Structures are given as C-alpha cells and as structure tokens.
Amino acid sequence: MTSTAAGPPPLPAAAEAARRTAADLGIGARFSLHPAADDAGAAVLDALAAADRSAVDVVTDDVSTLVRGTEADVVRFVHDVVAAAGRPGRHVVAQVHLSRGCPGEVACATADDVVLAPVVVPDLPATGLRAAAHWALYPLDDGTAGRPGDHMRAIEQAVAVARTRAVVTPSTFVTRLDGDLADVLGAVVDGWLAAARHVRHVVAHATITLHSPSWSAAEVTR
Amino acid sequence: MTSTAAGPPPLPAAAEAARRTAADLGIGARFSLHPAADDAGAAVLDALAAADRSAVDVVTDDVSTLVRGTEADVVRFVHDVVAAAGRPGRHVVAQVHLSRGCPGEVACATADDVVLAPVVVPDLPATGLRAAAHWALYPLDDGTAGRPGDHMRAIEQAVAVARTRAVVTPSTFVTRLDGDLADVLGAVVDGWLAAARHVRHVVAHATITLHSPSWSAAEVTR
C-alpha cells in the first residue's frame, strides 16, 4: 500500500494490526491534569501539545482526556504529557486511569491466549521529577464455575512487581508510590500488566502529585 | 458513661457502634480537590475547614484526604467539602474514591448478612452547582466455587440506579454524569451502594468538574 494523497503516511502493516488488536482488547487510558494555577487551562493544553501523538488517538473533553492505542504507546503518551506539565516546576496533579481487557465474557469473543499474552512494558526515561502517588488496582476477576476469582492475590502480586521500580508504602484503600515520575508511573504500569497476565479485565487508578507545596526544598532535590 | 473531662462529649452508644461497624467493613473515601488557582493550597484548606467533621475521621496528606466513618457520614462530608470548593465560582475538579467492604474473604470474617445489609443513602441537598463527572464502578466479585462473579451485571444495575438522579451518558471506560453536584455525587453513591447489596468489596471512582472553562456562561446557569 502506498500513499498518494497528502496527509500522514499509512502505518506499517504490523503497527496497524497492533492498533486494531488494542482496540479489540479495550486498551487505553483516561487522564486529567490539574495544575495549581490561575491559567490551568492553558497549562494543560501546552502539556498535551508537547507530547508526540502520532501513535495514539486522543480525545479531550471537559472532564478528562481519552487515549487509545497499544499499551506501550498509551503509557508513553501519558508519561510525556505529565512530565511536560511538571517541567515548569509548579504544583500539578495528574489523575491516571488505565484500562485493559474485555469488560465481560459475553461481550468479548477474544480468546484467553490473546487477552492474557505478555505485553511489552514501555521503557520510560527518568524525568528528574519527584513524584508521589496513591495507586489502586482493580483486577475484575469473576472466576469461572470451577474456579473462584482471587482479586486480592492479583493485587498482592502487582504490588510486589511495583516494589522493583518505586518505594512502596501500603495505605488505606491505596498503595503509596514514591520515586521519579517515570518509576512511579512505570510501577503503576508494571502492576497493571502483571495482573493482565491472569485477569481479562484490569483497571488501575493513580493520583500522582508533582512539586507538592508540602515538600520542602530540601526534599524536592533529594 | 458520662463525660467529666474537658473535650468533646462521647458519641451516643448507637453512633459509636455504627462507627465501629464501618471500620470493620472498611468503609471510607479518599478524595482530592484541584482548584485551578495559584493559591490552590489555601483554597483546599478553606474547603476542608468549611465542612462539619464531627462524625468522621479525616487525615490529609500530600496526595489525598482519607475520610472514615459510616457511608452516610463519609459521603456528607465529601459532598460538603466539594460544594464549599465550588462556591467561589472558579474551576475546580474533585477526585472522589469511595471504598466499601472486605477486600478478601480470608482477611474478613464479617458475615454476608452484615456486609450486604441495606445502607441508608444520605440525603444531599441541592447545591445550585452544575457538575459533570466521569464515573467508574468496580464490584470486585470473585464469585464462589459454584457461582462465578458477574461484575458487568452489577455495573449495569448501578448505572440504571444512577439514571434516577443524574443525566447518564455511556462513554469509554467511564459513565458520564451531568446534573447538580448533589445529584451527580448522589448518583455515584447510589450506584456504589446498590452494588454493595450483592458484592462484598465495591469501589467507585469519580472525576467531578465544576465551573469548567469549556462551559459557556449560558450553559452554567441552565
């Protein structure tokens, strides 16, 4: 297939197939950015404009931004936008909601060997931005007639995986993560994809704070 | 029991028992407020100070605020804080995370007739504040050896319940809710508690926007 008209060149066949599979599997993110600034709207638009969106579909409305694509492309886009929002050095909070998998067996004919196949975790470069997050993982494991689900086991496995990337502190309703933004978001992603090896529908939520006014200058540079 | 020392009077026995049961059942909320303002920190503290906290335990850290108490008391506190943050008329976003129930059968000995008992839904007075939300519900229904879980059915039932309070629009990964803040938050709560009649561990997340700069003046007053 060649491109004869003006416009972006077509995706290579493999990338196009990966994007189709991602859509079938319901992969994507919703996120919102909250700069503590009178001109928050402009700051959000600047951050969104700073990231390469050639590999993802992005729709922003009055509540949040929806990103669709493969896991690696979605995560890289969200990471780049949040990092861009944090670079000016002022307090900003990102709410990140990652979703993957068929919401219900009835609505989704994709076989387990496709849904539960291993996924390449994106490589996120260190940002130099300190981040703290409250992270919650929801493995929606209904189980089967012969085998009940065990969502707490999937959560515990994901928390163990997260420990290899960020400082992990258990808390009420959430797990706290501390580290470089790339490692905090990376830990959320690693845990999400670890659970997705066993559970068809897995959702992660994280509230990620950068440049909190509660942190002293000494803490920020540590 | 009588109070002889200075300090708050003891709770009536029934209220004390309700609060103990709420703690056993893991009931509570985490929420964060994001005013689009250079002085966001002061605005958050003002909103937190405006709500009566006599019936709840509140702990604020650098990422979010944890509220513990009965469902009605937790929801009323969150509602009052978010409404206070919205009253000055500027753009503010609230992230609300409601959690209820035993996270795992092993860790929780409370019987089904207590966990799944009906809960009084708090009466939230109309605020006059227009709100739009992206809402997600996670009924963590593992099922049993003889009966698989069905989290999508619980979500569909909760969405039907939400329709009686707010304008409901299905969207990707979330359900959009529009209406008065009291009805939008009320719909999130109604759906959460409807699912909690059948599922021991139910979590709801909502991103609630007030005074969005995308809304025209005509829309805000409609």
Side-chain angles (χ1 to χ4, degrees):
Chain A
M1 181 174 158
T2 55
S3 175
T4 52
L11 288 172
E16 209 171 88
R19 222 159 148 169
R20 255 204 318 276
T21 303
D24 289 348
L25 295 184
I27 292 160
R30 276 194 180 273
F31 73 108
S32 54
L33 288 174
H34 308 292
D38 291 345
D39 63 344
V44 169
L45 294 178
D46 285 352
L48 282 167
D52 174 8
R53 62 176 67 194
S54 60
V56 287
D57 298 308
V58 180
V59 180
T60 296
D61 66 22
D62 53 341
V63 183
S64 70
T65 293
L66 173 66
V67 192
R68 303 299 297 266
T70 67
E71 291 89 344
D73 290 333
V74 165
V75 167
R76 201 173 292 119
F77 180 78
V78 172
H79 169 267
D80 291 354
V81 174
V82 177
R87 291 235 166 74
R90 65 183 162 198
H91 181 41
V92 59
V93 178
Q95 294 285 345
V96 178
H97 167 176
L98 303 170
S99 195
R100 186 185 192 282
C102 303
E105 299 294 325
V106 175
C108 175
T110 310
D112 274 357
D113 62 346
V114 175
V115 178
L116 306 178
V119 174
V120 176
V121 178
D123 186 31
L124 301 175
T127 61
L129 295 165
R130 175 188 171 192
H134 283 170
W135 165 46
L137 183 74
Y138 305 111
L140 293 149
D141 183 5
D142 288 332
T144 62
R147 176 197 62 81
D150 190 349
H151 70 279
M152 287 309 295
R153 183 157 167 266
I155 290 171
E156 283 154 20
Q157 288 174 338
V159 170
V161 168
R163 281 186 200 284
T164 64
R165 284 284 275 267
V167 177
V168 168
T169 313
S171 191
T172 307
F173 307 141
V174 294
T175 298
R176 183 183 174 108
L177 302 172
D178 284 279
D180 186 279
L181 169 62
D183 291 326
V184 165
L185 185 59
V188 171
V189 171
D190 286 354
W192 176 54
L193 295 179
R197 293 300 313 278
H198 307 283
V199 181
R200 292 173 64 93
H201 185 196
V202 184
V203 183
H205 281 256
T207 303
I208 305 175
T209 296
L210 303 175
H211 306 295
S212 166
S214 323
W215 304 340
S216 69
E219 279 185 305
V220 171
T221 55
R222 78 182 172 185
Chain B
M1 180 174 159
T2 55
S3 174
T4 52
L11 287 173
E16 211 170 86
R19 220 157 148 170
R20 256 205 317 277
T21 304
D24 289 347
L25 295 184
I27 292 160
R30 277 195 180 274
F31 73 107
S32 54
L33 287 174
H34 307 292
D38 292 344
D39 63 344
V44 169
L45 293 177
D46 285 352
L48 282 167
D52 176 9
R53 63 175 66 194
S54 60
V56 288
D57 299 309
V58 181
V59 181
T60 296
D61 66 23
D62 54 341
V63 183
S64 70
T65 293
L66 173 66
V67 191
R68 304 299 297 264
T70 65
E71 291 88 343
D73 289 334
V74 165
V75 166
R76 202 174 291 116
F77 180 78
V78 172
H79 170 266
D80 290 355
V81 174
V82 177
R87 289 236 167 73
R90 65 182 162 198
H91 180 42
V92 59
V93 177
Q95 293 285 346
V96 178
H97 167 175
L98 302 170
S99 195
R100 184 184 193 283
C102 303
E105 299 295 323
V106 175
C108 174
T110 310
D112 273 358
D113 62 345
V114 175
V115 178
L116 306 178
V119 174
V120 176
V121 178
D123 187 30
L124 301 175
T127 61
L129 295 164
R130 177 188 169 190
H134 284 170
W135 165 47
L137 183 73
Y138 304 111
L140 293 149
D141 184 3
D142 289 332
T144 63
R147 177 199 61 80
D150 189 348
H151 71 278
M152 286 310 293
R153 184 157 166 267
I155 291 171
E156 282 155 19
Q157 288 174 338
V159 170
V161 168
R163 280 186 201 284
T164 63
R165 283 284 275 269
V167 177
V168 168
T169 313
S171 190
T172 307
F173 308 140
V174 294
T175 299
R176 183 184 175 108
L177 303 173
D178 284 279
D180 185 280
L181 169 62
D183 291 326
V184 165
L185 184 59
V188 171
V189 172
D190 287 356
W192 176 53
L193 295 179
R197 293 301 311 279
H198 307 284
V199 181
R200 292 172 65 93
H201 185 197
V202 185
V203 183
H205 281 255
T207 303
I208 306 176
T209 296
L210 304 175
H211 307 294
S212 166
S214 325
W215 303 340
S216 70
E219 279 185 306
V220 171
T221 55
R222 78 181 173 187

